[in-house]
Amino acid sequence: MEKTRQNNLPINPPIPPPTVVIAVGGNALAPEGGGTSLHDQARAAADTAKYIVDAVEQGWRVVLTHGNGPQVGIINNAMTDYANHIKSTSLTPLSVCVAMSQAYIGYDLQNSIHEEFLTRGIEPPPIATMLTQTRVDADDPAFQAPTKPIGTFMTQEEAREAAGERGWVVHEDAGRGFRRVVASPQPQEIIELNAIRAMVEDGSLVICCGGGGIPVIQQGCHLSGAVAVLDKDLAASLLADSLAADFLLMLTT
C-alpha cells in the first residue's frame, strides 16, 4: 500500500506520463496508392489513427500536429476562383485558408482517433482540435524570397496566368510542373500555448499547430495574418520544446 502523510497526500506524488509530440507529414495524410480527395484523406487519417492510439495505450500523453501544404493550396485556389467569379467578393487571406485547413484536417483526425479507441473497446480521452496561431517576425527575410510550394501543379501557361491575374509568385517544382510559392518565415511563438498546455495536463489529446500554425505578425495589441505557410517540422520542434515534451516524433509514411 502506498505510504501517505497525515493529510492523506502521497509521500511520492505520481509522476506524470511522458509527453510525445507527433508531427504527421503529408505522406501520412495520403492513402497508400495516392489520392487527394476528402474521402482519400479520411481513409489516410483512419490509418494514422492506429499509431496514435498505440502510443496512448503504451502510456504516452499525445500532442498531435500535421502538415497542410496540399490542402491549404486547394482551399486558396477555390476561394480565389470564387472571388474571380463573384466580383463583389474580396480575396480570402492565406492566413484564413490556413485556419480552414486546420479545422477540416483536425476534423478527420479527431473523428478517426475517436473511432479507433471505440473499435478497441477503450473509452476515448477528450480529443480536440485547437485552431492555433504562430507568431512570426515581420522582418524575416523569408518574406523577400518565397520558397514554400502550396497547392496543385500547374502548366506553364496556367502559372503565367496565375502570376499575372493573381499576383502569385510561381516556380517550377522539380520538373513536375509549376506551383505557387509563398514565404516560410521562422516560427517564433505559439500564441495558444498556455491553452494547449492546460488541455494536455488535463488529459486531453490535442491536435494543434496544423500546418505550422496560422502565421501572424504582432502589431501592437493586434495579431495580423501573414501571407505565409510555416514549416510544419520547425513549428513542431517549437511546440515540443515549449511543452518540455519528452519526445518529438515525425510520422511520414
Side-chain angles (χ1 to χ4, degrees):
M1 181 179 294
E2 187 178 41
K3 295 181 179 179
T4 61
R5 298 188 181 93
Q6 290 183 350
N7 61 8
N8 293 325
L9 291 175
I11 293 175
N12 296 312
I15 299 174
T19 300
V20 58
V21 171
I22 300 179
V24 180
N27 288 334
L29 288 173
E32 186 175 354
T36 57
S37 71
L38 297 181
H39 177 68
D40 292 328
Q41 179 177 292
R43 287 194 296 114
D47 291 337
T48 299
K50 296 179 174 62
Y51 300 98
I52 306 303
V53 177
D54 283 347
V56 175
E57 277 202 282
Q58 293 166 16
W60 292 88
R61 291 194 300 196
V62 173
V63 183
L64 189 62
T65 186
H66 58 80
N68 73 339
Q71 294 87 351
V72 73
I74 291 170
I75 292 170
N76 187 239
N77 287 349
M79 300 305 288
T80 300
D81 287 343
Y82 177 76
N84 288 339
H85 284 86
I86 309 298
K87 299 303 181 183
S88 61
T89 303
S90 58
L91 288 173
T92 302
L94 186 56
S95 57
V96 175
C97 296
V98 173
M100 291 178 179
S101 73
Q102 284 188 0
Y104 97 76
I105 295 172
Y107 163 71
D108 276 341
L109 287 170
Q110 67 187 46
N111 281 354
S112 295
I113 294 167
H114 183 269
E115 182 177 343
E116 183 63 25
F117 275 111
L118 294 180
T119 299
R120 299 187 189 193
I122 303 171
E123 180 67 23
I127 306 168
T129 297
M130 168 73 74
L131 291 184
T132 315
Q133 302 172 94
T134 303
R135 183 179 62 80
V136 299
D137 190 338
D139 296 324
D140 192 301
F143 286 110
Q144 305 304 318
T147 59
K148 187 75 170 180
I150 63 171
T152 56
F153 287 96
M154 297 175 281
T155 65
Q156 187 173 15
E157 182 178 346
E158 290 170 334
R160 187 181 298 111
E161 181 178 329
E165 294 184 0
R166 301 173 181 174
W168 288 358
V169 178
V170 183
H171 288 173
E172 187 174 10
D173 189 339
R176 296 176 294 177
F178 292 80
R179 294 179 76 185
R180 182 188 182 188
V181 293
V182 297
S184 183
Q186 185 80 16
Q188 301 292 331
E189 176 190 9
I190 297 166
I191 301 298
E192 287 77 20
L193 179 66
N194 287 339
I196 295 168
R197 182 186 290 114
M199 293 170 69
V200 172
E201 291 178 352
D202 196 43
S204 296
L205 194 162
V206 184
I207 303 165
C208 58
C209 295
I214 303 164
V216 293
I217 295 170
Q218 186 82 44
Q219 296 177 329
C221 297
H222 178 65
L223 294 172
S224 177
V227 182
V229 171
L230 303 183
D231 186 283
K232 176 262 304 175
D233 293 340
L234 291 179
S237 298
L238 176 62
L239 175 65
D241 187 57
S242 300
L243 291 174
D246 298 274
F247 281 92
L248 170 61
L249 174 64
M250 304 293 188
L251 181 59
T252 56
T253 56

